[in-house]
Amino acid sequence: MDLLSRPVLVLDLDGTVCLGDTPVLLYAERVAAFVDAPEALLELAGAFLGNQLPETAPKALIGAQDGYEAVRILAVAAGVTEEQLSTAYVESRAAIGEHPGDIHTPAGLVDLLAGLDAHRVVLTNSPGDGLDAILEHIGVRGVIDEVVSDALKPTRMRAHLDTFLAAAGATDTPERLMSVGDIWRNDLAPALERGCVAAYVDVFDRRQGPAHVRAESLVDLYAAISQWSRDPSSFIEANPRKEPVRC
């Protein structure tokens, strides 16, 4: 990687670059094959995605970070094992290439990425199988410089960030890397620990932790991403990390 003159933009995939319910629904379908009451699991997963959970839904679902976590909560309660969950996830990711359904990017994302003078990375826990097909389908493959699959976030996130910073000659200037994502513990907490810029796509208004900029939609962060890419040092001075405000 020759990044020495460019800042590094690290983008999460699901819930950030790739939107739509299809990936979670495919996962839920495969998880449901392991439970005694598959219809109930699928109904609750759909209700979570539609923000229409019934009063009888398990309380744990209310705090789920995204649809994947909601399905996992339901699955574990039904006795699904970690191995079965892993199998369901891998199979569902491979299936997206054949059945992309409603997956799409936020409006204007391709134009934003095309206009940035930055090294653009998609960093995802998704397996490599089927990933290129997903990126091609949503139209971002041509505006992404690097794709890292099987990232094992959050466990390996700090190591990934250090690799990018070293390649960019930015070990001592970590503000030259911005991490953008919708799961605070996966995408943002490690970036903040390293001194990088954190842009929080807080879709469900969870307010899990601090960030330099935060919005409920990636679209609302476009201006901040552009400003950061032009002058990371000035950006972080103007946008110090902010603690979440509880209403």
Side-chain angles (χ1 to χ4, degrees), residues 85-107:
L85 284 170
S86 179
T87 296
Y89 180 66
V90 171
E91 290 180 354
S92 71
R93 299 306 294 187
I96 298 173
E98 297 291 331
H99 308 284
D102 69 343
I103 63 171
H104 61 283
T105 60

Side-chain angles (χ1 to χ4, degrees), residues 31 34-37 41 71-85:
V31 169
F34 295 114
V35 306
D36 293 332
L41 186 148
V71 172
R72 179 185 178 83
I73 289 169
L74 294 169
V76 171
V80 179
T81 67
E82 290 294 330
E83 183 177 359
Q84 289 170 331
L85 284 170

Side-chain angles (χ1 to χ4, degrees), residues 168-202:
T171 299
D172 296 326
T173 53
E175 68 274 9
R176 289 179 57 201
L177 186 150
M178 174 186 274
S179 182
V180 185
D182 66 317
I183 304 297
W184 187 82
R185 65 175 178 266
N186 285 5
D187 306 307
L188 307 176
L192 290 166
E193 291 172 6
R194 188 60 185 82
C196 302
V197 179
Y200 190 1
V201 185
D202 192 5

